[in-house]
Structure formats: C-alpha cells, structure tokens
Amino acid sequence: GAVTFGTAPTFPSGAITNAYIASQAAIDYTKVVGERCNEVEAFADGVSIITVASRTLHVTRGTSGTQIGLDAFHIVAPTSANCTTTIELQKTVAASSAWASVLSTPITLTTTSVVYTRYAATFASTGIAMLVGDCYRLVITQAGTTTGAGKGLHISHSYSEAPA
C-alpha cells in the first residue's frame, strides 16, 4: 500500500533492496550510481602488439566516481623472452596537460603470461577517487622485438560514477 511521510524518511543501509522498487518507478538517471566497464580491443586477434600513442579511455562526467579495476589479457603469448607489454592507466584533471599514473603496479604481460587469462593492475590506493572533468588514458608500451611480440590485446576498465 501507499505510505505518506511528513518529512523524508531515513532507512538503515541495505533496508531497501531491488525487490522493493517498482519496475515502473522511473527513477531518474541522476539518482543512480552504477558500475560501468569499458571493454577495449587494443589489438585484434592475430595483430602484433606494438607501442601505441596514448588512448583516451574516459572523462568523468558525473560529480564523482571510483576506479574499480583495470584488467588485460593477450590472445597469443610473446615468443621472444625480451618481449614485454606494459599497460598503464594515467589521469589528468580538467584544464591540465600533466598526466600521472593512478597505478602502483601496471599490468605486465610476458612469455609466462597465460593467454585468455585476465591480469590486473594495482591502483595506487584503494578506491581512486574520480572528480568531474578528470580524464583517463591508456598507455600501452611494447618492449623487445615486434616479430616476437604477443598478438591480440584486450583491456577492461571498471569504475563507478555518480551521474549528478
């Protein structure tokens, strides 16, 4: 049934779950904080991984957010022992051109990395805060010979963002 409150009610955390929200509730997007994941095929299946120019990945549009994860895998492992692929996530703030890593440990793929297995980066601190206008980019660096480089590279970037 319907309940009317004289003032806005306060409920304990977790008291209202998905089952209690009507499917026709039409909750505005500005009230939803959700996890998102960008999937990037940096190099297609069979294409040798090379060092590339940085690639813009995300610009924070909401008021705030949190970095959740950065994962990568290759499809064919490198064949040369000196071939290493490094995937870095960097950030700059609005109106700046100074980029800095948000990772304490980037992703490094080598001949010992198992294909089709996700490898995760380690963020510099738990829950890297995202603010409106923050811009994030991927930096992919390939060391060693291109003939022995791995082939195919897939990257996943997860974050949550408050839209307003």
Side-chain angles (χ1 to χ4, degrees):
V3 177
T4 304
F5 296 94
T7 60
T10 303
F11 299 101
S13 179
I16 299 175
T17 63
N18 191 50
Y20 293 109
I21 300 172
S23 60
Q24 69 274 17
I27 297 171
D28 191 70
Y29 79 94
T30 60
K31 299 204 168 76
V32 178
V33 176
E35 182 177 339
R36 293 167 176 78
C37 185
N38 294 326
E39 300 286 340
V40 177
E41 182 184 57
F43 292 91
D45 189 357
V47 176
S48 291
I49 301 168
I50 59 171
T51 297
V52 295
S54 302
R55 170 184 271 179
T56 301
L57 188 62
H58 180 71
V59 177
T60 306
R61 290 168 178 82
T63 55
S64 62
T66 303
Q67 295 288 340
I68 297 171
L70 182 70
D71 303 299
F73 66 84
H74 53 213
I75 296 165
V76 176
T79 56
S80 295
N82 69 342
C83 288
T84 302
T85 304
T86 304
I87 298 102
E88 177 73 70
L89 181 65
Q90 296 179 340
K91 166 186 161 178
T92 190
V93 297
S96 174
S97 60
W99 293 88
S101 178
V102 297
L103 305 175
S104 60
T105 308
I107 300 168
T108 303
L109 302 174
T110 67
T111 55
T112 60
S113 302
V114 180
V115 298
Y116 291 106
T117 300
R118 291 182 319 128
Y119 289 88
T122 303
F123 285 91
S125 65
T126 303
I128 295 293
M130 299 165 59
L131 301 173
V132 65
D134 286 353
C135 188
Y136 293 87
R137 72 179 182 184
L138 284 174
V139 178
I140 301 167
T141 307
Q142 178 65 40
T145 63
T146 55
T147 56
K151 296 181 180 181
L153 179 62
H154 186 86
I155 301 168
S156 299
H157 172 235
S158 301
Y159 60 96
S160 69
E161 188 171 342

